[in-house]
Amino acid sequence: MNLNRNDHCWCGSNKKYKNCHLHFDEKINSYRLRGHVVPPHNIIKTPEQIEKIKESCAINTAVLDLVAKNIKAGMSTEEINTLVHNFTVSKGAIPAPLNFQGYPKSVCTSLNDEVCHGIPSDDVILEEGDIVNVDVSTIYNGYFSDASRMFKIGNVHPDLDKLVRVAKECLDKGLEAAKPWGFLGDVAEAVQKHAEANGFSVVREFGGHGIGLEFHEAPFVSHVGKKNTGMLLVPGMIFTIEPMINMGKPDIFIDSDDGWTVLTEDGYPSAQWEYTVLVTETGVEVLTY
């Protein structure tokens, strides 16, 4: 995009470019000239877009709060799906997973050795000692949000308790490492180091993603990597951090029967937490959790 100093800025502010994002773009270009991967304008959200995305995020968080109040042993994962669907629609929103690339339900429910994308079913009943990830995504007025939480059903084995706790700590470490004018690799290294220090592994094939105007946007957010590598983080970027932490090896496979459910290759359990975050001038803001 070639703008003159007195043109209207690309962000939609109606300010002259020289008084708005000129210096911002010059700073980004200085990183590009040093060989770094930099974000294109189309994944940097405008203030108006950010406010709209936050409205979607508020509904998404409310959905997960509702699940937290109701989830229990003896409940089917289809009951979770019904709860999520009805509440989301009641708020004038749309469950983003429903019919996305053929996905048949309004939420993903992944139990024990299921890593992600588990399909709710009347036949899957939550039992005492299970761990389950509930992954909720919402469209509101055309804007997208996404988050997931782990739930422990009753009393779980201490090893599962540790897995759920460390997975959340990995997310927190990733959040701490995410800073404006840092890099996605900073997030990845923080997650990977904490997981492996606790004897766990990190799934490679799936990760976080840009979000807001679409369900999945650039960049891909890996949770395995090295500091000072990957895309430059700049204010206005919105993406998910969602490490999938395995008790055993990182290897996974997709269930051939349903074409969606991702499981650990060795049958050991997996845990995941996910936030949608906004890069600000001073750090990151959690938008949905």
Side-chain angles (χ1 to χ4, degrees), residues 52 54-66 69 82-95 136-143 145:
K52 296 294 186 182
K54 285 182 176 181
E55 292 175 0
S56 178
C57 288
I59 295 172
N60 203 80
T61 297
V63 175
L64 278 167
D65 287 344
L66 181 67
K69 290 177 182 176
T82 300
L83 196 69
V84 167
H85 182 89
N86 290 345
F87 183 85
T88 303
V89 171
S90 76
K91 297 298 181 183
I94 301 168
V136 172
S137 311
T138 302
I139 311 169
Y140 184 64
N141 290 333
Y143 293 87
S145 54

Side-chain angles (χ1 to χ4, degrees), residues 37-157:
V37 178
V38 301
H41 285 157
N42 66 353
I43 66 169
I44 301 171
K45 306 302 188 287
T46 68
E48 181 180 0
Q49 290 170 339
I50 290 169
E51 290 309 307
K52 296 294 186 182
I53 294 166
K54 285 182 176 181
E55 292 175 0
S56 178
C57 288
I59 295 172
N60 203 80
T61 297
V63 175
L64 278 167
D65 287 344
L66 181 67
V67 172
K69 290 177 182 176
N70 287 275
I71 196 167
K72 62 183 185 295
M75 187 180 204
S76 73
T77 52
E78 178 58 34
E79 288 179 85
I80 297 173
N81 181 70
T82 300
L83 196 69
V84 167
H85 182 89
N86 290 345
F87 183 85
T88 303
V89 171
S90 76
K91 297 298 181 183
I94 301 168
L98 186 61
N99 300 318
F100 176 74
Q101 297 183 350
Y103 186 80
K105 299 291 181 175
S106 295
V107 67
C108 297
T109 53
S110 305
L111 273 73
N112 300 324
D113 64 334
E114 296 175 347
V115 177
C116 60
H117 303 162
I119 301 176
S121 169
D122 287 320
D123 298 328
V124 178
I125 308 299
L126 300 179
E127 298 179 357
E128 181 91 6
D130 283 338
I131 59 171
V132 57
N133 177 269
V134 179
D135 190 346
V136 172
S137 311
T138 302
I139 311 169
Y140 184 64
N141 290 333
Y143 293 87
F144 291 76
S145 54
D146 193 5
S148 78
R149 299 182 196 173
M150 291 300 301
F151 296 99
K152 297 179 289 186
I153 308 303
N155 294 313
V156 304
H157 190 281

Side-chain angles (χ1 to χ4, degrees), residues 8-289:
H8 286 305
C9 187
W10 54 264
C11 74
S13 66
N14 288 323
K15 295 180 181 177
K16 290 183 178 180
Y17 182 45
K18 66 181 180 182
N19 297 324
C20 196
H21 274 89
L22 173 60
H23 295 302
F24 176 85
D25 284 347
E26 287 175 340
K27 186 170 183 178
I28 290 176
N29 194 48
S30 72
Y31 281 88
R32 184 185 64 79
L33 292 173
R34 296 200 296 270
H36 294 290
V37 178
V38 301
H41 285 157
N42 66 353
I43 66 169
I44 301 171
K45 306 302 188 287
T46 68
E48 181 180 0
Q49 290 170 339
I50 290 169
E51 290 309 307
K52 296 294 186 182
I53 294 166
K54 285 182 176 181
E55 292 175 0
S56 178
C57 288
I59 295 172
N60 203 80
T61 297
V63 175
L64 278 167
D65 287 344
L66 181 67
V67 172
K69 290 177 182 176
N70 287 275
I71 196 167
K72 62 183 185 295
M75 187 180 204
S76 73
T77 52
E78 178 58 34
E79 288 179 85
I80 297 173
N81 181 70
T82 300
L83 196 69
V84 167
H85 182 89
N86 290 345
F87 183 85
T88 303
V89 171
S90 76
K91 297 298 181 183
I94 301 168
L98 186 61
N99 300 318
F100 176 74
Q101 297 183 350
Y103 186 80
K105 299 291 181 175
S106 295
V107 67
C108 297
T109 53
S110 305
L111 273 73
N112 300 324
D113 64 334
E114 296 175 347
V115 177
C116 60
H117 303 162
I119 301 176
S121 169
D122 287 320
D123 298 328
V124 178
I125 308 299
L126 300 179
E127 298 179 357
E128 181 91 6
D130 283 338
I131 59 171
V132 57
N133 177 269
V134 179
D135 190 346
V136 172
S137 311
T138 302
I139 311 169
Y140 184 64
N141 290 333
Y143 293 87
F144 291 76
S145 54
D146 193 5
S148 78
R149 299 182 196 173
M150 291 300 301
F151 296 99
K152 297 179 289 186
I153 308 303
N155 294 313
V156 304
H157 190 281
D159 290 347
L160 290 177
D161 186 73
K162 179 183 177 183
L163 176 65
V164 171
R165 173 178 55 80
V166 171
K168 177 60 167 59
E169 290 170 354
C170 285
L171 172 57
D172 292 337
K173 295 288 185 182
L175 281 171
E176 291 171 8
K179 300 181 187 302
W181 311 109
F183 300 92
L184 279 175
D186 305 349
V187 176
E189 181 179 274
V191 169
Q192 184 179 4
K193 278 189 171 181
H194 190 70
E196 293 177 352
N198 282 277
F200 299 139
S201 63
V202 184
V203 171
R204 268 75 169 164
E205 293 88 342
F206 292 90
H209 52 89
I211 191 168
L213 307 184
E214 302 289 343
F215 197 171
H216 295 94
E217 304 173 13
F220 174 73
V221 180
S222 176
H223 301 107
V224 175
K226 294 188 179 298
K227 199 171 182 179
N228 298 319
T229 66
M231 185 177 282
L232 178 70
L233 299 178
V234 304
M237 292 176 66
I238 295 180
F239 53 86
T240 68
I241 302 175
E242 48 178 304
M244 302 168 199
I245 308 301
N246 291 355
M247 184 178 287
K249 295 180 180 179
D251 307 281
I252 60 173
F253 70 98
I254 298 175
D255 188 336
S256 59
D257 290 333
D258 66 33
W260 279 99
T261 306
V262 179
L263 300 103
T264 60
E265 186 72 49
D266 56 18
Y268 282 91
S270 184
Q272 176 201 17
W273 297 79
E274 175 185 10
Y275 288 169
T276 293
V277 302
L278 164 69
V279 181
T280 69
E281 296 287 347
T282 57
V284 292
E285 179 183 351
V286 176
L287 301 185
T288 190
Y289 52 89

